Amino acid sequence: MTVIELYSVLHRYGVDVLLLALGVTLLTSLLKKTVMKAVSRKVFVFLPFGFGILIYALYSLFARGGLCFTADAAVSLLKGGLETGCAATLYYVFYEQFLRGKFVMDPLLPLLECVPEERRQEASEAIRGISAEGTDALQGIREQLAHFADPPLSEEELSATALLLKEFISTTA
C-alpha cells in the first residue's frame, strides 16, 4: 500500500472517526506495552475494533445527548465503531510500515523476538560481542539466548535461533 492509497483510505473517514481512532490506537498500544504483555498477539488484531465500537458509542452518547435504540441508529453506531477500529488499525499499520522501521538501527533486534523488548538491545550487544567463527561462537550465542529468552526456548528452538543468528552475523560482518 502506497502512501497515497493510505491517504485516500483515511480521507474517506470523518474527522471525528479519525480523532477517536487515534485515541483507540494509543489506548491499544498502551495496553499492549503494560497490562496485556502476556496476552496473545492475536487479541490485538481484534482489540481496536472492540475499543472502536465502545468509544464510538460513548462519543455518540455525549455528542448526541443520548443513544437512540432504533435499528437505523444501531446500524449507524456499529458502522461508526467499525470505521473507528479500521482507522485505528490503519494508523498502527502506517506507524509500523513507515515510521517504526526507520528508527531500528540494529538489524539483530527483529530476530530477537524471543527476548523481551526492553532487553533486546542488551541481548543484541552481548551476541554481537561473540566472535562469529567456529563452534565456540555457536555455543556462546546459545548461552546468551538461553540467558535472555523469556519464556525459555526449547532445545530445538534454541539451536535453530542460535544458528540463524550466527549465520546472520557472519554474513553482515
Side-chain angles (χ1 to χ4, degrees), residues 18-37 43-44 46-56 58 84-85 87-89 91-92:
L18 293 176
L19 290 175
L20 292 171
L22 183 61
V24 168
T25 302
L26 294 174
L27 178 64
T28 304
S29 294
L30 179 68
L31 288 175
K32 184 177 183 181
K33 293 180 190 229
T34 57
V35 180
M36 301 178 90
K37 276 186 177 180
V43 171
F44 293 103
F46 300 103
L47 199 59
F49 295 99
F51 281 145
I53 292 169
L54 177 69
I55 289 176
Y56 192 83
L58 291 172
T84 302
T89 303
Y91 281 148
Y92 183 73

PDB file of all heavy atoms in Angstrom, residues 18-37 43-44 46-56 58 84-85 87-89 91-92:
ATOM      1  N   LEU A  18     -11.519   9.828  12.811  1.00  0.00           N
ATOM      2  CA  LEU A  18     -10.058   9.825  12.803  1.00  0.00           C
ATOM      3  C   LEU A  18      -9.480  10.186  14.171  1.00  0.00           C
ATOM      4  O   LEU A  18      -8.495   9.591  14.610  1.00  0.00           O
ATOM      5  CB  LEU A  18      -9.535  10.776  11.734  1.00  0.00           C
ATOM      6  CG  LEU A  18      -9.816  10.371  10.286  1.00  0.00           C
ATOM      7  CD1 LEU A  18      -9.323  11.442   9.326  1.00  0.00           C
ATOM      8  CD2 LEU A  18      -9.177   9.041   9.967  1.00  0.00           C
ATOM      9  N   LEU A  19     -10.089  11.148  14.850  1.00  0.00           N
ATOM     10  CA  LEU A  19      -9.612  11.510  16.186  1.00  0.00           C
ATOM     11  C   LEU A  19      -9.886  10.398  17.199  1.00  0.00           C
ATOM     12  O   LEU A  19      -9.032  10.090  18.037  1.00  0.00           O
ATOM     13  CB  LEU A  19     -10.245  12.820  16.643  1.00  0.00           C
ATOM     14  CG  LEU A  19      -9.762  14.060  15.900  1.00  0.00           C
ATOM     15  CD1 LEU A  19     -10.548  15.287  16.339  1.00  0.00           C
ATOM     16  CD2 LEU A  19      -8.273  14.267  16.114  1.00  0.00           C
ATOM     17  N   LEU A  20     -11.063   9.798  17.123  1.00  0.00           N
ATOM     18  CA  LEU A  20     -11.366   8.679  18.012  1.00  0.00           C
ATOM     19  C   LEU A  20     -10.437   7.502  17.731  1.00  0.00           C
ATOM     20  O   LEU A  20      -9.980   6.819  18.655  1.00  0.00           O
ATOM     21  CB  LEU A  20     -12.824   8.250  17.858  1.00  0.00           C
ATOM     22  CG  LEU A  20     -13.873   9.248  18.364  1.00  0.00           C
ATOM     23  CD1 LEU A  20     -15.266   8.792  17.954  1.00  0.00           C
ATOM     24  CD2 LEU A  20     -13.774   9.427  19.848  1.00  0.00           C
ATOM     25  N   ALA A  21     -10.128   7.268  16.469  1.00  0.00           N
ATOM     26  CA  ALA A  21      -9.234   6.167  16.094  1.00  0.00           C
ATOM     27  C   ALA A  21      -7.823   6.399  16.633  1.00  0.00           C
ATOM     28  O   ALA A  21      -7.149   5.447  17.044  1.00  0.00           O
ATOM     29  CB  ALA A  21      -9.199   6.008  14.579  1.00  0.00           C
ATOM     30  N   LEU A  22      -7.403   7.638  16.650  1.00  0.00           N
ATOM     31  CA  LEU A  22      -6.092   7.947  17.224  1.00  0.00           C
ATOM     32  C   LEU A  22      -6.070   7.583  18.710  1.00  0.00           C
ATOM     33  O   LEU A  22      -5.116   6.996  19.203  1.00  0.00           O
ATOM     34  CB  LEU A  22      -5.754   9.424  17.014  1.00  0.00           C
ATOM     35  CG  LEU A  22      -4.380   9.869  17.488  1.00  0.00           C
ATOM     36  CD1 LEU A  22      -3.286   9.124  16.741  1.00  0.00           C
ATOM     37  CD2 LEU A  22      -4.227  11.366  17.301  1.00  0.00           C
ATOM     38  N   GLY A  23      -7.157   7.916  19.407  1.00  0.00           N
ATOM     39  CA  GLY A  23      -7.275   7.533  20.815  1.00  0.00           C
ATOM     40  C   GLY A  23      -7.284   6.030  21.003  1.00  0.00           C
ATOM     41  O   GLY A  23      -6.647   5.492  21.913  1.00  0.00           O
ATOM     42  N   VAL A  24      -7.994   5.320  20.125  1.00  0.00           N
ATOM     43  CA  VAL A  24      -8.042   3.851  20.192  1.00  0.00           C
ATOM     44  C   VAL A  24      -6.654   3.272  19.949  1.00  0.00           C
ATOM     45  O   VAL A  24      -6.224   2.341  20.647  1.00  0.00           O
ATOM     46  CB  VAL A  24      -9.062   3.289  19.175  1.00  0.00           C
ATOM     47  CG1 VAL A  24      -8.924   1.790  19.020  1.00  0.00           C
ATOM     48  CG2 VAL A  24     -10.477   3.647  19.602  1.00  0.00           C
ATOM     49  N   THR A  25      -5.926   3.812  18.987  1.00  0.00           N
ATOM     50  CA  THR A  25      -4.575   3.339  18.696  1.00  0.00           C
ATOM     51  C   THR A  25      -3.654   3.538  19.900  1.00  0.00           C
ATOM     52  O   THR A  25      -2.915   2.627  20.284  1.00  0.00           O
ATOM     53  CB  THR A  25      -3.988   4.077  17.482  1.00  0.00           C
ATOM     54  OG1 THR A  25      -4.845   3.879  16.364  1.00  0.00           O
ATOM     55  CG2 THR A  25      -2.594   3.591  17.144  1.00  0.00           C
ATOM     56  N   LEU A  26      -3.718   4.710  20.498  1.00  0.00           N
ATOM     57  CA  LEU A  26      -2.876   4.986  21.663  1.00  0.00           C
ATOM     58  C   LEU A  26      -3.257   4.099  22.845  1.00  0.00           C
ATOM     59  O   LEU A  26      -2.381   3.569  23.537  1.00  0.00           O
ATOM     60  CB  LEU A  26      -2.977   6.465  22.041  1.00  0.00           C
ATOM     61  CG  LEU A  26      -2.415   7.443  21.013  1.00  0.00           C
ATOM     62  CD1 LEU A  26      -2.693   8.877  21.427  1.00  0.00           C
ATOM     63  CD2 LEU A  26      -0.929   7.220  20.813  1.00  0.00           C
ATOM     64  N   LEU A  27      -4.551   3.905  23.073  1.00  0.00           N
ATOM     65  CA  LEU A  27      -5.015   3.044  24.158  1.00  0.00           C
ATOM     66  C   LEU A  27      -4.573   1.601  23.942  1.00  0.00           C
ATOM     67  O   LEU A  27      -4.067   0.941  24.864  1.00  0.00           O
ATOM     68  CB  LEU A  27      -6.541   3.116  24.280  1.00  0.00           C
ATOM     69  CG  LEU A  27      -7.174   2.235  25.345  1.00  0.00           C
ATOM     70  CD1 LEU A  27      -6.722   2.643  26.740  1.00  0.00           C
ATOM     71  CD2 LEU A  27      -8.696   2.310  25.233  1.00  0.00           C
ATOM     72  N   THR A  28      -4.716   1.109  22.730  1.00  0.00           N
ATOM     73  CA  THR A  28      -4.306  -0.263  22.414  1.00  0.00           C
ATOM     74  C   THR A  28      -2.800  -0.430  22.584  1.00  0.00           C
ATOM     75  O   THR A  28      -2.344  -1.422  23.157  1.00  0.00           O
ATOM     76  CB  THR A  28      -4.722  -0.625  20.979  1.00  0.00           C
ATOM     77  OG1 THR A  28      -6.128  -0.437  20.841  1.00  0.00           O
ATOM     78  CG2 THR A  28      -4.383  -2.062  20.646  1.00  0.00           C
ATOM     79  N   SER A  29      -2.021   0.528  22.113  1.00  0.00           N
ATOM     80  CA  SER A  29      -0.569   0.451  22.263  1.00  0.00           C
ATOM     81  C   SER A  29      -0.157   0.496  23.725  1.00  0.00           C
ATOM     82  O   SER A  29       0.742  -0.239  24.144  1.00  0.00           O
ATOM     83  CB  SER A  29       0.107   1.599  21.515  1.00  0.00           C
ATOM     84  OG  SER A  29      -0.089   1.475  20.148  1.00  0.00           O
ATOM     85  N   LEU A  30      -0.814   1.340  24.500  1.00  0.00           N
ATOM     86  CA  LEU A  30      -0.514   1.432  25.927  1.00  0.00           C
ATOM     87  C   LEU A  30      -0.814   0.116  26.633  1.00  0.00           C
ATOM     88  O   LEU A  30      -0.001  -0.378  27.416  1.00  0.00           O
ATOM     89  CB  LEU A  30      -1.318   2.569  26.564  1.00  0.00           C
ATOM     90  CG  LEU A  30      -1.136   2.773  28.057  1.00  0.00           C
ATOM     91  CD1 LEU A  30       0.272   3.277  28.339  1.00  0.00           C
ATOM     92  CD2 LEU A  30      -2.165   3.747  28.582  1.00  0.00           C
ATOM     93  N   LEU A  31      -1.966  -0.466  26.343  1.00  0.00           N
ATOM     94  CA  LEU A  31      -2.311  -1.747  26.957  1.00  0.00           C
ATOM     95  C   LEU A  31      -1.362  -2.851  26.511  1.00  0.00           C
ATOM     96  O   LEU A  31      -1.002  -3.730  27.293  1.00  0.00           O
ATOM     97  CB  LEU A  31      -3.753  -2.128  26.610  1.00  0.00           C
ATOM     98  CG  LEU A  31      -4.831  -1.316  27.313  1.00  0.00           C
ATOM     99  CD1 LEU A  31      -6.198  -1.701  26.788  1.00  0.00           C
ATOM    100  CD2 LEU A  31      -4.760  -1.500  28.807  1.00  0.00           C
ATOM    101  N   LYS A  32      -0.945  -2.810  25.252  1.00  0.00           N
ATOM    102  CA  LYS A  32      -0.038  -3.829  24.715  1.00  0.00           C
ATOM    103  C   LYS A  32       1.306  -3.798  25.427  1.00  0.00           C
ATOM    104  O   LYS A  32       1.927  -4.828  25.643  1.00  0.00           O
ATOM    105  CB  LYS A  32       0.148  -3.588  23.215  1.00  0.00           C
ATOM    106  CG  LYS A  32       0.989  -4.630  22.522  1.00  0.00           C
ATOM    107  CD  LYS A  32       1.057  -4.335  21.039  1.00  0.00           C
ATOM    108  CE  LYS A  32       1.828  -5.387  20.291  1.00  0.00           C
ATOM    109  NZ  LYS A  32       1.899  -5.085  18.865  1.00  0.00           N
ATOM    110  N   LYS A  33       1.752  -2.608  25.814  1.00  0.00           N
ATOM    111  CA  LYS A  33       3.066  -2.486  26.441  1.00  0.00           C
ATOM    112  C   LYS A  33       3.020  -2.578  27.957  1.00  0.00           C
ATOM    113  O   LYS A  33       4.053  -2.680  28.589  1.00  0.00           O
ATOM    114  CB  LYS A  33       3.707  -1.170  26.030  1.00  0.00           C
ATOM    115  CG  LYS A  33       4.046  -1.152  24.560  1.00  0.00           C
ATOM    116  CD  LYS A  33       4.670   0.135  24.146  1.00  0.00           C
ATOM    117  CE  LYS A  33       4.742   0.151  22.649  1.00  0.00           C
ATOM    118  NZ  LYS A  33       5.922   0.492  22.046  1.00  0.00           N
ATOM    119  N   THR A  34       1.827  -2.535  28.562  1.00  0.00           N
ATOM    120  CA  THR A  34       1.754  -2.561  30.019  1.00  0.00           C
ATOM    121  C   THR A  34       0.954  -3.755  30.522  1.00  0.00           C
ATOM    122  O   THR A  34       1.508  -4.798  30.791  1.00  0.00           O
ATOM    123  CB  THR A  34       1.148  -1.252  30.559  1.00  0.00           C
ATOM    124  OG1 THR A  34      -0.147  -1.049  29.991  1.00  0.00           O
ATOM    125  CG2 THR A  34       2.033  -0.058  30.248  1.00  0.00           C
ATOM    126  N   VAL A  35      -0.324  -3.598  30.631  1.00  0.00           N
ATOM    127  CA  VAL A  35      -1.193  -4.568  31.280  1.00  0.00           C
ATOM    128  C   VAL A  35      -1.298  -5.883  30.514  1.00  0.00           C
ATOM    129  O   VAL A  35      -1.349  -6.957  31.103  1.00  0.00           O
ATOM    130  CB  VAL A  35      -2.609  -3.961  31.471  1.00  0.00           C
ATOM    131  CG1 VAL A  35      -3.542  -4.939  32.130  1.00  0.00           C
ATOM    132  CG2 VAL A  35      -2.523  -2.678  32.263  1.00  0.00           C
ATOM    133  N   MET A  36      -1.309  -5.827  29.195  1.00  0.00           N
ATOM    134  CA  MET A  36      -1.573  -7.014  28.383  1.00  0.00           C
ATOM    135  C   MET A  36      -0.321  -7.563  27.701  1.00  0.00           C
ATOM    136  O   MET A  36      -0.391  -8.079  26.598  1.00  0.00           O
ATOM    137  CB  MET A  36      -2.649  -6.676  27.346  1.00  0.00           C
ATOM    138  CG  MET A  36      -3.944  -6.215  27.965  1.00  0.00           C
ATOM    139  SD  MET A  36      -5.174  -5.765  26.742  1.00  0.00           S
ATOM    140  CE  MET A  36      -5.969  -7.337  26.518  1.00  0.00           C
ATOM    141  N   LYS A  37       0.823  -7.499  28.378  1.00  0.00           N
ATOM    142  CA  LYS A  37       2.069  -8.003  27.787  1.00  0.00           C
ATOM    143  C   LYS A  37       2.002  -9.499  27.503  1.00  0.00           C
ATOM    144  O   LYS A  37       2.530  -9.963  26.505  1.00  0.00           O
ATOM    145  CB  LYS A  37       3.244  -7.737  28.719  1.00  0.00           C
ATOM    146  CG  LYS A  37       3.830  -6.383  28.609  1.00  0.00           C
ATOM    147  CD  LYS A  37       5.064  -6.293  29.474  1.00  0.00           C
ATOM    148  CE  LYS A  37       5.710  -4.947  29.313  1.00  0.00           C
ATOM    149  NZ  LYS A  37       6.899  -4.815  30.140  1.00  0.00           N
ATOM    150  N   VAL A  43      -5.010 -11.297  19.907  1.00  0.00           N
ATOM    151  CA  VAL A  43      -6.019 -10.456  20.555  1.00  0.00           C
ATOM    152  C   VAL A  43      -5.934  -9.029  20.028  1.00  0.00           C
ATOM    153  O   VAL A  43      -6.953  -8.358  19.840  1.00  0.00           O
ATOM    154  CB  VAL A  43      -5.836 -10.489  22.092  1.00  0.00           C
ATOM    155  CG1 VAL A  43      -6.707  -9.463  22.783  1.00  0.00           C
ATOM    156  CG2 VAL A  43      -6.115 -11.879  22.624  1.00  0.00           C
ATOM    157  N   PHE A  44      -4.711  -8.571  19.754  1.00  0.00           N
ATOM    158  CA  PHE A  44      -4.525  -7.190  19.329  1.00  0.00           C
ATOM    159  C   PHE A  44      -4.986  -6.930  17.898  1.00  0.00           C
ATOM    160  O   PHE A  44      -5.031  -5.792  17.470  1.00  0.00           O
ATOM    161  CB  PHE A  44      -3.062  -6.773  19.518  1.00  0.00           C
ATOM    162  CG  PHE A  44      -2.687  -6.710  20.966  1.00  0.00           C
ATOM    163  CD1 PHE A  44      -1.941  -7.716  21.545  1.00  0.00           C
ATOM    164  CD2 PHE A  44      -3.124  -5.674  21.758  1.00  0.00           C
ATOM    165  CE1 PHE A  44      -1.613  -7.678  22.881  1.00  0.00           C
ATOM    166  CE2 PHE A  44      -2.811  -5.618  23.096  1.00  0.00           C
ATOM    167  CZ  PHE A  44      -2.056  -6.624  23.662  1.00  0.00           C
ATOM    168  N   PHE A  46      -8.075  -7.835  17.006  1.00  0.00           N
ATOM    169  CA  PHE A  46      -9.491  -7.521  17.182  1.00  0.00           C
ATOM    170  C   PHE A  46      -9.742  -6.432  18.217  1.00  0.00           C
ATOM    171  O   PHE A  46     -10.809  -5.823  18.227  1.00  0.00           O
ATOM    172  CB  PHE A  46     -10.262  -8.784  17.576  1.00  0.00           C
ATOM    173  CG  PHE A  46     -10.157  -9.861  16.541  1.00  0.00           C
ATOM    174  CD1 PHE A  46      -9.323 -10.946  16.721  1.00  0.00           C
ATOM    175  CD2 PHE A  46     -10.876  -9.768  15.362  1.00  0.00           C
ATOM    176  CE1 PHE A  46      -9.204 -11.934  15.758  1.00  0.00           C
ATOM    177  CE2 PHE A  46     -10.768 -10.739  14.384  1.00  0.00           C
ATOM    178  CZ  PHE A  46      -9.933 -11.829  14.585  1.00  0.00           C
ATOM    179  N   LEU A  47      -8.787  -6.183  19.085  1.00  0.00           N
ATOM    180  CA  LEU A  47      -8.966  -5.202  20.153  1.00  0.00           C
ATOM    181  C   LEU A  47      -9.309  -3.798  19.644  1.00  0.00           C
ATOM    182  O   LEU A  47     -10.207  -3.161  20.211  1.00  0.00           O
ATOM    183  CB  LEU A  47      -7.715  -5.180  21.031  1.00  0.00           C
ATOM    184  CG  LEU A  47      -7.858  -4.582  22.415  1.00  0.00           C
ATOM    185  CD1 LEU A  47      -8.899  -5.330  23.224  1.00  0.00           C
ATOM    186  CD2 LEU A  47      -6.524  -4.618  23.137  1.00  0.00           C
ATOM    187  N   PRO A  48      -8.669  -3.272  18.593  1.00  0.00           N
ATOM    188  CA  PRO A  48      -9.042  -1.940  18.120  1.00  0.00           C
ATOM    189  C   PRO A  48     -10.502  -1.851  17.669  1.00  0.00           C
ATOM    190  O   PRO A  48     -11.140  -0.809  17.842  1.00  0.00           O
ATOM    191  CB  PRO A  48      -8.103  -1.691  16.938  1.00  0.00           C
ATOM    192  CG  PRO A  48      -6.949  -2.575  17.172  1.00  0.00           C
ATOM    193  CD  PRO A  48      -7.493  -3.780  17.874  1.00  0.00           C
ATOM    194  N   PHE A  49     -11.042  -2.935  17.139  1.00  0.00           N
ATOM    195  CA  PHE A  49     -12.441  -2.906  16.710  1.00  0.00           C
ATOM    196  C   PHE A  49     -13.375  -2.882  17.913  1.00  0.00           C
ATOM    197  O   PHE A  49     -14.373  -2.155  17.921  1.00  0.00           O
ATOM    198  CB  PHE A  49     -12.742  -4.095  15.795  1.00  0.00           C
ATOM    199  CG  PHE A  49     -11.982  -4.026  14.499  1.00  0.00           C
ATOM    200  CD1 PHE A  49     -10.819  -4.740  14.324  1.00  0.00           C
ATOM    201  CD2 PHE A  49     -12.424  -3.216  13.472  1.00  0.00           C
ATOM    202  CE1 PHE A  49     -10.106  -4.664  13.148  1.00  0.00           C
ATOM    203  CE2 PHE A  49     -11.723  -3.122  12.284  1.00  0.00           C
ATOM    204  CZ  PHE A  49     -10.554  -3.851  12.121  1.00  0.00           C
ATOM    205  N   GLY A  50     -13.058  -3.658  18.930  1.00  0.00           N
ATOM    206  CA  GLY A  50     -13.864  -3.644  20.149  1.00  0.00           C
ATOM    207  C   GLY A  50     -13.818  -2.288  20.827  1.00  0.00           C
ATOM    208  O   GLY A  50     -14.851  -1.735  21.219  1.00  0.00           O
ATOM    209  N   PHE A  51     -12.609  -1.746  20.968  1.00  0.00           N
ATOM    210  CA  PHE A  51     -12.476  -0.410  21.545  1.00  0.00           C
ATOM    211  C   PHE A  51     -13.130   0.644  20.655  1.00  0.00           C
ATOM    212  O   PHE A  51     -13.702   1.611  21.147  1.00  0.00           O
ATOM    213  CB  PHE A  51     -11.008  -0.047  21.761  1.00  0.00           C
ATOM    214  CG  PHE A  51     -10.398  -0.653  22.985  1.00  0.00           C
ATOM    215  CD1 PHE A  51      -9.077  -1.044  22.977  1.00  0.00           C
ATOM    216  CD2 PHE A  51     -11.119  -0.826  24.154  1.00  0.00           C
ATOM    217  CE1 PHE A  51      -8.485  -1.602  24.096  1.00  0.00           C
ATOM    218  CE2 PHE A  51     -10.552  -1.384  25.280  1.00  0.00           C
ATOM    219  CZ  PHE A  51      -9.237  -1.770  25.253  1.00  0.00           C
ATOM    220  N   GLY A  52     -13.012   0.465  19.344  1.00  0.00           N
ATOM    221  CA  GLY A  52     -13.621   1.421  18.420  1.00  0.00           C
ATOM    222  C   GLY A  52     -15.120   1.497  18.601  1.00  0.00           C
ATOM    223  O   GLY A  52     -15.706   2.588  18.660  1.00  0.00           O
ATOM    224  N   ILE A  53     -15.776   0.352  18.709  1.00  0.00           N
ATOM    225  CA  ILE A  53     -17.229   0.327  18.909  1.00  0.00           C
ATOM    226  C   ILE A  53     -17.583   0.947  20.249  1.00  0.00           C
ATOM    227  O   ILE A  53     -18.504   1.779  20.350  1.00  0.00           O
ATOM    228  CB  ILE A  53     -17.763  -1.116  18.795  1.00  0.00           C
ATOM    229  CG1 ILE A  53     -17.620  -1.599  17.348  1.00  0.00           C
ATOM    230  CG2 ILE A  53     -19.209  -1.217  19.260  1.00  0.00           C
ATOM    231  CD1 ILE A  53     -17.874  -3.082  17.152  1.00  0.00           C
ATOM    232  N   LEU A  54     -16.850   0.586  21.301  1.00  0.00           N
ATOM    233  CA  LEU A  54     -17.124   1.112  22.634  1.00  0.00           C
ATOM    234  C   LEU A  54     -16.929   2.626  22.700  1.00  0.00           C
ATOM    235  O   LEU A  54     -17.792   3.367  23.185  1.00  0.00           O
ATOM    236  CB  LEU A  54     -16.226   0.418  23.663  1.00  0.00           C
ATOM    237  CG  LEU A  54     -16.344   0.903  25.093  1.00  0.00           C
ATOM    238  CD1 LEU A  54     -17.704   0.501  25.662  1.00  0.00           C
ATOM    239  CD2 LEU A  54     -15.228   0.349  25.933  1.00  0.00           C
ATOM    240  N   ILE A  55     -15.806   3.104  22.187  1.00  0.00           N
ATOM    241  CA  ILE A  55     -15.502   4.540  22.257  1.00  0.00           C
ATOM    242  C   ILE A  55     -16.434   5.337  21.347  1.00  0.00           C
ATOM    243  O   ILE A  55     -16.871   6.435  21.704  1.00  0.00           O
ATOM    244  CB  ILE A  55     -14.014   4.792  21.944  1.00  0.00           C
ATOM    245  CG1 ILE A  55     -13.196   4.272  23.126  1.00  0.00           C
ATOM    246  CG2 ILE A  55     -13.727   6.252  21.667  1.00  0.00           C
ATOM    247  CD1 ILE A  55     -11.712   4.348  22.952  1.00  0.00           C
ATOM    248  N   TYR A  56     -16.776   4.783  20.185  1.00  0.00           N
ATOM    249  CA  TYR A  56     -17.716   5.496  19.312  1.00  0.00           C
ATOM    250  C   TYR A  56     -19.103   5.562  19.956  1.00  0.00           C
ATOM    251  O   TYR A  56     -19.800   6.569  19.827  1.00  0.00           O
ATOM    252  CB  TYR A  56     -17.795   4.835  17.933  1.00  0.00           C
ATOM    253  CG  TYR A  56     -18.513   5.693  16.932  1.00  0.00           C
ATOM    254  CD1 TYR A  56     -17.847   6.707  16.267  1.00  0.00           C
ATOM    255  CD2 TYR A  56     -19.867   5.520  16.669  1.00  0.00           C
ATOM    256  CE1 TYR A  56     -18.499   7.525  15.358  1.00  0.00           C
ATOM    257  CE2 TYR A  56     -20.530   6.328  15.763  1.00  0.00           C
ATOM    258  CZ  TYR A  56     -19.838   7.335  15.117  1.00  0.00           C
ATOM    259  OH  TYR A  56     -20.492   8.150  14.224  1.00  0.00           O
ATOM    260  N   LEU A  58     -19.670   5.704  23.212  1.00  0.00           N
ATOM    261  CA  LEU A  58     -19.569   6.754  24.237  1.00  0.00           C
ATOM    262  C   LEU A  58     -19.579   8.141  23.606  1.00  0.00           C
ATOM    263  O   LEU A  58     -20.227   9.066  24.111  1.00  0.00           O
ATOM    264  CB  LEU A  58     -18.296   6.556  25.062  1.00  0.00           C
ATOM    265  CG  LEU A  58     -18.277   5.342  25.981  1.00  0.00           C
ATOM    266  CD1 LEU A  58     -16.895   5.158  26.598  1.00  0.00           C
ATOM    267  CD2 LEU A  58     -19.340   5.481  27.057  1.00  0.00           C
ATOM    268  N   THR A  84     -14.051   3.359  13.168  1.00  0.00           N
ATOM    269  CA  THR A  84     -13.046   3.797  14.136  1.00  0.00           C
ATOM    270  C   THR A  84     -11.991   2.711  14.317  1.00  0.00           C
ATOM    271  O   THR A  84     -10.789   2.985  14.342  1.00  0.00           O
ATOM    272  CB  THR A  84     -13.704   4.147  15.482  1.00  0.00           C
ATOM    273  OG1 THR A  84     -14.685   5.165  15.266  1.00  0.00           O
ATOM    274  CG2 THR A  84     -12.687   4.630  16.490  1.00  0.00           C
ATOM    275  N   GLY A  85     -12.419   1.459  14.439  1.00  0.00           N
ATOM    276  CA  GLY A  85     -11.479   0.344  14.561  1.00  0.00           C
ATOM    277  C   GLY A  85     -10.616   0.191  13.322  1.00  0.00           C
ATOM    278  O   GLY A  85      -9.407  -0.073  13.417  1.00  0.00           O
ATOM    279  N   ALA A  87      -9.815   2.573  11.126  1.00  0.00           N
ATOM    280  CA  ALA A  87      -8.877   3.693  11.070  1.00  0.00           C
ATOM    281  C   ALA A  87      -7.760   3.518  12.099  1.00  0.00           C
ATOM    282  O   ALA A  87      -6.596   3.819  11.815  1.00  0.00           O
ATOM    283  CB  ALA A  87      -9.610   5.013  11.295  1.00  0.00           C
ATOM    284  N   ALA A  88      -8.093   2.997  13.283  1.00  0.00           N
ATOM    285  CA  ALA A  88      -7.068   2.743  14.299  1.00  0.00           C
ATOM    286  C   ALA A  88      -6.074   1.703  13.794  1.00  0.00           C
ATOM    287  O   ALA A  88      -4.860   1.831  13.998  1.00  0.00           O
ATOM    288  CB  ALA A  88      -7.711   2.281  15.605  1.00  0.00           C
ATOM    289  N   THR A  89      -6.573   0.683  13.146  1.00  0.00           N
ATOM    290  CA  THR A  89      -5.695  -0.349  12.580  1.00  0.00           C
ATOM    291  C   THR A  89      -4.816   0.248  11.486  1.00  0.00           C
ATOM    292  O   THR A  89      -3.625  -0.065  11.388  1.00  0.00           O
ATOM    293  CB  THR A  89      -6.530  -1.516  12.036  1.00  0.00           C
ATOM    294  OG1 THR A  89      -7.339  -2.031  13.093  1.00  0.00           O
ATOM    295  CG2 THR A  89      -5.645  -2.615  11.488  1.00  0.00           C
ATOM    296  N   TYR A  91      -3.826   3.379  11.291  1.00  0.00           N
ATOM    297  CA  TYR A  91      -2.815   4.182  11.971  1.00  0.00           C
ATOM    298  C   TYR A  91      -1.663   3.296  12.424  1.00  0.00           C
ATOM    299  O   TYR A  91      -0.493   3.619  12.252  1.00  0.00           O
ATOM    300  CB  TYR A  91      -3.385   4.889  13.205  1.00  0.00           C
ATOM    301  CG  TYR A  91      -4.184   6.132  12.935  1.00  0.00           C
ATOM    302  CD1 TYR A  91      -5.239   6.470  13.764  1.00  0.00           C
ATOM    303  CD2 TYR A  91      -3.872   6.998  11.893  1.00  0.00           C
ATOM    304  CE1 TYR A  91      -5.977   7.626  13.566  1.00  0.00           C
ATOM    305  CE2 TYR A  91      -4.606   8.144  11.677  1.00  0.00           C
ATOM    306  CZ  TYR A  91      -5.649   8.456  12.517  1.00  0.00           C
ATOM    307  OH  TYR A  91      -6.363   9.592  12.311  1.00  0.00           O
ATOM    308  N   TYR A  92      -2.008   2.169  13.022  1.00  0.00           N
ATOM    309  CA  TYR A  92      -0.985   1.262  13.530  1.00  0.00           C
ATOM    310  C   TYR A  92      -0.132   0.699  12.391  1.00  0.00           C
ATOM    311  O   TYR A  92       1.088   0.635  12.493  1.00  0.00           O
ATOM    312  CB  TYR A  92      -1.621   0.136  14.339  1.00  0.00           C
ATOM    313  CG  TYR A  92      -0.606  -0.787  14.949  1.00  0.00           C
ATOM    314  CD1 TYR A  92       0.159  -0.375  16.036  1.00  0.00           C
ATOM    315  CD2 TYR A  92      -0.388  -2.056  14.439  1.00  0.00           C
ATOM    316  CE1 TYR A  92       1.108  -1.204  16.592  1.00  0.00           C
ATOM    317  CE2 TYR A  92       0.559  -2.891  14.990  1.00  0.00           C
ATOM    318  CZ  TYR A  92       1.300  -2.460  16.067  1.00  0.00           C
ATOM    319  OH  TYR A  92       2.248  -3.287  16.608  1.00  0.00           O
TER     320      TYR A  92
END
